[in-house]
Amino acid sequence: MSDSPAPRLLNLLVLDVTDEARDDPAFERELDDLSTSVVAAAEQVGFAVRRVPANRLGDVRTALAEADAVLVTGGEDVDPSHYGGPADYPGRGQTFADADRVQFEVVRGSVEARVPLVGICRGMQVVDVALGGDLVQHLEHPGHLNPDDVSDSMVDHPVRLADGSTLASMLGTTSLVVRSSHHQAVGRLGEGLRAVAWADDGTVEAVEHDTAPVWCVQWHPEDRGATGTVLTDLLVAARDAALARTTGDRSRRTAD
């Protein structure tokens, strides 16, 4: 029997917006269900998960220091003050400007340290704004959100992925039908980001980073009605990149 220690589980920080009371309890329940699905999927691929709301700054910084990978979840609009957008626009609801700042700190720190980072829906928008991009504040085209069902705001629609993109290679396809629930989208791309998927109306549906292990999707692969293996594929990519980073760090320390 080997006496070598069992390999430690890699740590995933799942970063929600807030655990404060929201104006819309039904939306809060929907978000909680989505994050719970992320946690379950992450544990299945071998992560030890710590789920933390961004309004708890001390807990976020502690979890980030221990994190091998980060996933930023969905939620309310990013406060427009962060990207110079008008304060008044169609569809604006509750925002959490201070929590946004914490998420930006996590994104920038992850990119700088090359910690694998996944963004889902609002998480993709957070990544974009954190890196200097801005947002389309309200989509005029229908088909990204069902505003009439408070218990399930998702809609299905096709997306096309850029041939040759890391994301297309990761997912094994350049065409998907996805589940979305959003009225905003990425506008100007943040530094280092490139668009790699689009809806039929031209809305950016996924981005990746030129040099850092960052993959973001505008849709919700964690929704109970989603098909395919996109969530697992993203988590496996983050896990493998985290393992490679950890192994590389260990090798460099040994060489030193």
Side-chain angles (χ1 to χ4, degrees):
M1 180 181 296
S2 173
D3 293 328
S4 61
R8 74 171 179 87
L9 289 175
L10 294 169
N11 296 314
L12 176 69
L13 167 58
V14 172
L15 187 62
D16 293 330
V17 181
T18 184
D19 62 356
E20 297 173 356
R22 287 182 158 101
D23 293 341
D24 185 344
F27 186 53
E28 184 171 21
R29 288 192 295 270
E30 186 175 11
L31 292 175
D32 184 63
D33 287 346
L34 293 170
S35 290
T36 299
S37 178
V38 167
V39 171
E43 290 175 341
Q44 283 202 336
V45 305
F47 278 114
V49 181
R50 184 167 182 185
R51 181 180 166 191
V52 184
N55 60 299
R56 296 180 178 265
L57 178 58
D59 291 343
V60 170
R61 286 178 172 167
T62 298
L64 181 60
E66 300 171 351
D68 298 293
V70 175
L71 188 148
V72 185
T73 62
E76 291 81 0
D77 294 356
V78 176
D79 193 285
S81 64
H82 294 310
Y83 55 87
D88 186 26
Y89 56 86
R92 177 172 178 172
Q94 190 174 16
T95 58
F96 299 92
D98 291 339
D100 293 341
R101 293 185 187 93
V102 175
Q103 292 193 318
F104 298 156
E105 178 183 319
V106 171
V107 168
R108 292 166 187 149
S110 298
V111 171
E112 182 177 356
R114 299 300 188 262
V115 173
L117 174 64
V118 174
I120 293 178
C121 194
R122 179 192 195 273
M124 178 168 116
Q125 297 167 12
V126 166
V127 170
D128 185 55
V129 174
L131 299 181
D134 68 6
L135 302 181
V136 178
Q137 291 189 296
H138 187 69
L139 295 169
E140 298 297 335
H141 304 283
H144 297 274
L145 170 72
N146 177 5
D148 300 321
D149 188 343
V150 295
S151 64
D152 185 2
S153 59
M154 301 288 172
V155 295
D156 298 317
H157 66 88
V159 300
R160 58 182 177 86
L161 285 76
D163 191 22
S165 64
T166 301
L167 190 63
S169 177
M170 182 190 306
L171 303 183
T173 186
T174 57
S175 179
L176 287 170
V177 174
V178 303
R179 297 276 278 165
S180 285
S181 176
H182 64 101
H183 81 108
Q184 297 193 308
V186 164
R188 183 183 68 251
L189 289 170
E191 183 178 357
L193 296 176
R194 61 178 177 272
V196 294
W198 303 264
D200 288 345
D201 62 12
T203 299
V204 174
E205 289 286 335
V207 299
E208 58 190 43
H209 197 276
D210 289 334
T211 57
V214 175
W215 309 285
C216 303
V217 296
Q218 185 60 68
W219 66 88
H220 282 281
E222 80 280 30
D223 181 68
R224 62 183 177 272
T227 59
T229 61
V230 172
L231 179 59
T232 298
D233 293 340
L234 288 167
L235 290 167
V236 167
R239 181 200 66 193
D240 291 350
L243 182 60
R245 177 176 177 270
T246 301
T247 303
D249 288 346
R250 189 180 303 122
S251 297
R252 283 192 293 274
R253 286 195 297 270
T254 302
D256 292 342

